[in-house]
Amino acid sequence: MKFRVERDALAEAVAWTAKSLPSRPSVPVLAGVMLRVTDGNLRVSGFDYEVSSQVTVEVQGDADGAALVSGRLLAEITKALPAKPVDIAAVGAHLELVCGSARFTLPTMPVEDYPALPEMPQSAGTVDAAAFATAVSQVAIAAGRDETLPMMTGVRVELSGSTLSMLATDRYRLALREIQWRPDDPEVSINALVPARTLNDTAKALGPLGGEVTLALAQGAAGEGMVGLAGGTRRTTSRLLDGANYPPVRSLFPATHNAEARVPVSTLIEVVKRVALVAERTTPVLLSFSADGLVVEAGGSEEARASEAMEATFTGDALTIGFNPQYLIDGLANLGSQTAMLSFVDAFKPAVISPAGEDGEVIPGYRYLIMPIRVSR
């Protein structure tokens, strides 16, 4: 194998592929990225039996072939190279990489020991790449991080006709986003639980490329289903999580509310960040709403306290409610609007944060539910 490639194209391809590689692989070859050159195209791929990533880059190919090298090491090297063309050649049991006056010799692993990447499942439809990336980021923040509860670490993707819905919850908050997409089958009705981290990383990489993302799904027995995402020259596949017993979380959104507030998003985020400086990890921030506006308060150890008043338009009976400050900031920061609508039943039931337009009306499509923290005052 021998080829020449632009440094930026190589660095991007290797970085994206290496990002999904396991830090503690079950077998050494899974820590590698496969470089395969055929007909002037370089295919960079990685696979850990759960997630596969693959990018195709145009190169000046002198000799077709394949080589398997440490993904993380190659990613670090390519990122640090000078902005010049890169010459790469497989020589015996090593890979030689030359860029300007920089020269690296890396050991290779046996290509024949590397597992075959899974095929892309059957396409279910396409969605605008930028809109998809935004929607995924809005939902993935609410997914759980606790690997002992794998179901909560996923994003539930619901395909129903031309509507693509995504939900995620860590039991303390819940995010729901609905966007339009173009299904291959107008009557489609499929639900799948996709690992949130993989979905978010992939959508974030495909979004800036523009164009469309192809969403592919293969349903199977528990742990055997697969999702595929493809855009531009990149494609990723991932095993689905077992979502058979995923709770009916949509029912958590209250049907009615007794009070609501409209607040400027950026101002509230800044105020919560400032006030939360005195709060300990488990200490909530208190939001006190009244006809006069909003007062945000927090108290920490050794009598450290903070409070700040800000403008807010509030309708309903005066209300004081406590929230985890980071969960509140996460929801506000991902609204995608300058104004937030906060809807309340009472101080002890979940509140719903929605984006609002300049007219104060809720913009449909995104809702972020956050559980209150009971506070004795």
Side-chain angles (χ1 to χ4, degrees), residues 175-189:
L176 166 63
R177 182 72 165 99
E178 295 178 336
I179 59 175
Q180 295 299 297
W181 78 309
R182 289 165 290 282
D184 293 342
D185 174 8
E187 304 296 317
V188 67
S189 180

Side-chain angles (χ1 to χ4, degrees), residues 221-289:
E224 292 180 5
M226 185 171 288
V227 63
L229 297 163
T233 59
R234 303 183 180 194
R235 53 156 268 198
T236 290
T237 66
S238 172
R239 278 183 187 241
L240 296 175
L241 297 168
D242 180 8
N245 298 314
Y246 198 78
V249 291
R250 279 179 184 262
S251 62
L252 294 175
F253 288 103
T256 59
H257 56 266
N258 299 323
E260 62 183 28
R262 291 175 183 80
V263 295
V265 171
S266 58
T267 306
L268 181 53
I269 289 175
E270 288 173 11
V271 170
V272 171
K273 283 182 177 177
R274 273 195 293 271
V275 170
L277 291 173
V278 301
E280 295 169 348
R281 264 194 70 198
T282 56
T283 307
V285 291
L286 297 181
L287 278 62
S288 298
F289 293 94

